[in-house]
Amino acid sequence: MKSFTKTLFFVLITLSTFSVFSQNTNKKLFNNIDAYLKANETNGFSGVVLVAKQGEVILSKGYGWADRKNKIPNSPATVFNIGSVTKQFTASAILKLVEQGKIKTSDKISSYFTQTPIDKSDITIHQLLTHTSGISNRTGGFRYDEASKKQFLKEFFESELHSKPGTKYQYANANYIMLTVILELVSGQTYNAFLKEHLFEPAHLKSTGYKSFNFNSEKLAHGYYYNRTDEKWADWGTTQQHLPYNNNHWYSIGKGDIHSTIEDLYKWHVALKNNVLLTSKTREIQETPYVAENDKMTSYYGYGWAISKSDKETKIVAHNGSNGLYFADFVRFVDDDVVVIYITNAFLGNESEYVAREIGKMVFNTNYTPTPISKNIYELIHEFMKTNSSKNVEKLPAYLKKELKDEFNDHSILNRLGYGRLKKEKQPGWALALFKLNVKLFPEDGNLWDSLGEAYLKYNQKDKAVKCYTKAVELGSEDSKKTLNKLLKEDE
């Protein structure tokens, strides 16, 4: 009995020590992540993050504003557009129909649509799910323009294939819109109604849906973007204000624009993990790496999820999405039982895409220092222009390198800003300075020499313009030939 008591005492002490160690580790992790995100608020970071490890939520918090005008802060209950993270819901709905015995992933779309042309008759549901149908990423229109289901189908069937079905991966939103057409056709329900009954409600998602919601619109995060022309941040509003008010939303549905919260997405993760929605066999099918997404074969596409490996060679199942303003990233380190969910409503730049991955590195290495999120690059350049004269333009690259923590290598940014200024400046100033700097940074880009030539023309510096257009033509800019020939004829 004494031996048993000693053993039990030892076990309890060990478990208690382990618990305290785990609590301290998680507290340190919370503080590190929270400090990283708070520090970036000063640069305009705005969004929400949830981090969970082995079933315990380490951090669930909002940063910045959901609605700047009305001073409504982001919180774990704020509802965001989750972009193409939507695809996992669409794929899960299709797999639910498979479980119900109503469809097979090997079914050809020609079995559902008699109007299917020969070149698309062999496209399967599997190929739609894995983006290997051959459909071009240009098929379909702008996400918020009106389009009926009939119109979308016509465009889908009349479109030119990017590749032969089943031969090549080509991420294309039209694949998932077509899956939604099939879902509604087979189920006899609308997309939102089917997802609500078979996915949202069983997973207890209270703030997730497409278009129609049962909560106050004040919970919706506004989307913000930096307006290059006005040189300030602008409020785009909410997605609900841009989606067609009727059912002619067939450029949007199925492939994006589901709305959710980090709280609901975590519930969704738990429901998937515990096989509440789909069987373990179906989940394994959904998370199978079917086709490489890149030439290096570092990431593969499953059914609505991208599958890759961590630095430790453990499995990662993830998907991100954006409509250009909102950006969402849902990263599940399934072998490690870690999940990171991140959504922003003010896309700042490249670093905005890597927040979840940076946090993932922090989870597995408490000493890791994440890369700061810089201000929007256009905002940075405008701030430089406000505090410097155009004569100091040569200092701009060093300034950007310091702020961005990287070399400036985008040919188009200064070009866009140059044209913006060209419309405003009657005399040579920042427009001309930006164009001149751009050709100095990227001298082999003929398009940039063409832009500089256009600026010289505006300021009646014809000789310099001719030299620029000549250089542009030498570098292969076909559009410059017409202007150059016209200028040369004027001198004859």
Side-chain angles (χ1 to χ4, degrees):
M1 180 64 72
K2 287 183 179 180
S3 176
F4 173 77
T5 303
K6 287 181 179 180
T7 300
L8 179 62
F9 177 76
F10 176 76
V11 170
L12 290 174
I13 288 295
T14 302
L15 290 174
S16 176
T17 302
F18 178 78
S19 176
V20 170
F21 176 77
S22 178
Q23 288 175 11
N24 289 339
T25 301
N26 289 344
K27 185 177 181 180
K28 181 181 179 182
L29 179 59
F30 171 91
N31 290 336
N32 288 349
I33 297 171
D34 189 47
Y36 158 61
L37 298 173
K38 277 183 176 177
N40 290 309
E41 280 186 296
T42 57
N43 286 341
F45 174 70
S46 177
V48 289
V49 173
L50 184 145
V51 181
K53 182 180 180 182
Q54 296 170 356
E56 179 182 350
V57 176
I58 307 299
L59 178 143
S60 181
K61 192 173 178 182
Y63 301 84
W65 301 104
D67 183 342
R68 297 184 184 187
K69 181 180 178 181
N70 295 305
K71 302 299 181 185
I72 300 174
N74 280 317
S75 78
T78 302
V79 179
F80 291 79
N81 183 328
I82 63 172
S84 285
V85 173
T86 294
K87 288 181 173 66
Q88 63 193 252
F89 289 101
T90 304
S92 296
I94 290 293
L95 291 173
K96 177 58 69 174
L97 287 177
V98 172
E99 287 188 346
Q100 293 172 350
K102 295 180 179 179
I103 64 172
K104 296 178 182 178
T105 56
S106 59
D107 288 347
K108 297 178 180 179
I109 64 173
S110 53
S111 64
Y112 297 100
F113 307 102
T114 57
Q115 71 270 40
T116 308
I118 294 176
D119 66 327
K120 301 177 181 68
S121 61
D122 289 335
I123 292 175
T124 65
I125 288 176
H126 167 81
Q127 290 168 356
L128 294 173
L129 286 165
T130 56
H131 297 291
T132 56
S133 69
I135 290 295
S136 168
N137 56 15
R138 297 186 298 273
T139 301
F142 176 64
R143 56 172 60 89
Y144 301 133
D145 285 348
E146 286 197 29
S148 66
K149 185 187 296 185
K150 182 179 179 181
Q151 180 182 339
F152 167 75
L153 285 173
K154 184 175 184 294
E155 291 180 20
F156 186 96
F157 289 131
E158 291 180 355
S159 66
E160 183 178 346
L161 288 177
H162 177 269
S163 57
K164 183 180 178 181
T167 63
K168 190 175 181 180
Y169 172 84
Q170 168 70 64
Y171 188 93
N173 286 320
N175 287 308
Y176 274 72
I177 300 175
M178 176 58 84
L179 287 169
T180 305
V181 178
I182 295 171
L183 172 71
E184 293 198 346
L185 179 66
V186 173
S187 69
Q189 293 179 273
T190 65
Y191 176 73
N192 201 51
F194 185 91
L195 266 61
K196 182 178 180 182
E197 178 182 347
H198 297 283
L199 302 180
F200 301 157
E201 290 182 349
H204 304 292
L205 310 186
K206 304 294 184 183
S207 301
T208 301
Y210 175 76
K211 285 188 76 171
S212 58
F213 306 115
N214 297 318
F215 51 78
N216 193 311
S217 61
E218 288 186 357
K219 289 183 66 176
L220 287 166
H222 287 227
Y224 292 93
Y225 67 98
Y226 187 77
N227 188 310
R228 300 195 303 269
T229 303
D230 295 339
E231 301 184 11
K232 63 181 181 180
W233 283 91
D235 185 346
W236 180 76
T238 66
T239 310
Q240 305 308 303
Q241 295 170 307
H242 295 269
L243 281 165
Y245 69 91
N246 52 31
N247 289 327
N248 292 334
H249 47 209
W250 286 88
Y251 288 150
S252 162
I253 194 168
K255 56 89 174 178
D257 292 317
I258 275 183
H259 284 62
S260 193
T261 67
I262 52 171
E263 293 175 330
D264 267 11
L265 290 178
Y266 181 64
K267 290 178 185 176
W268 169 250
H269 159 75
V270 172
L272 288 173
K273 175 185 170 184
N274 295 332
N275 307 316
V276 172
L277 307 168
L278 301 168
T279 66
S280 58
K281 182 180 179 181
T282 300
R283 182 161 64 90
E284 184 179 339
I285 290 170
Q286 184 173 24
E287 297 174 2
T288 295
Y290 292 107
V291 56
E293 290 190 287
N294 53 47
D295 293 337
K296 294 182 179 179
M297 296 185 178
T298 56
S299 181
Y300 292 76
Y301 209 81
Y303 289 168
W305 287 103
I307 295 89
S308 59
K309 294 284 187 180
S310 71
D311 294 338
K312 303 188 302 176
E313 291 297 308
T314 56
K315 187 176 184 179
I316 300 174
V317 178
H319 210 295
N320 61 26
S322 174
N323 73 344
L325 295 102
Y326 303 91
F327 178 83
D329 204 359
F330 193 163
V331 186
R332 300 162 62 212
F333 300 86
V334 292
D335 291 342
D336 302 290
D337 197 9
V338 168
V339 60
V340 180
I341 305 168
Y342 153 65
I343 319 174
T344 178
N345 59 325
F347 189 78
L348 296 175
N350 291 335
E351 294 92 352
S352 291
E353 294 187 12
Y354 306 134
V355 170
R357 300 299 176 134
E358 289 290 280
I359 291 173
K361 292 177 182 179
M362 296 172 75
V363 171
F364 296 108
N365 178 5
T366 54
N367 294 319
Y368 178 75
T369 301
T371 303
I373 306 170
S374 66
K375 287 185 178 181
N376 176 278
I377 190 166
Y378 294 103
E379 183 179 21
L380 282 173
I381 295 173
H382 280 140
E383 287 183 355
F384 180 88
M385 291 164 67
K386 289 174 184 176
T387 55
N388 289 271
S389 74
S390 59
K391 295 178 181 179
N392 292 328
V393 70
E394 297 286 343
K395 297 179 181 179
L396 180 57
Y399 166 79
L400 290 176
K401 183 177 181 179
K402 178 184 175 183
E403 295 296 325
L404 299 173
K405 306 294 188 293
D406 200 1
E407 294 290 343
F408 175 68
N409 56 14
D410 192 319
H411 297 211
S412 62
I413 290 175
L414 297 184
N415 219 41
R416 292 176 188 141
L417 292 177
Y419 275 113
R421 280 287 174 147
L422 200 61
K423 295 176 182 178
K424 300 177 181 180
E425 297 176 345
K426 294 181 179 180
Q427 298 297 323
W430 269 108
L432 190 58
L434 291 172
F435 286 132
K436 288 170 70 175
L437 175 62
N438 219 18
V439 297
K440 183 175 181 179
L441 294 174
F442 313 108
E444 300 304 312
D445 190 331
N447 180 58
L448 305 187
W449 285 99
D450 181 280
S451 299
L452 178 57
E454 188 174 338
Y456 276 131
L457 274 184
K458 176 173 178 175
Y459 300 123
N460 299 314
Q461 299 181 42
K462 186 177 176 181
D463 290 344
K464 290 182 179 180
V466 168
K467 290 180 181 179
C468 289
Y469 282 115
T470 301
K471 183 70 174 178
V473 171
E474 290 174 358
L475 291 169
S477 178
E478 292 294 325
D479 293 337
S480 304
K481 286 183 179 180
K482 186 177 179 180
T483 305
L484 178 60
N485 290 335
K486 181 181 178 181
L487 293 175
L488 294 175
K489 283 183 179 180
E490 290 176 356
D491 292 334
E492 290 178 357

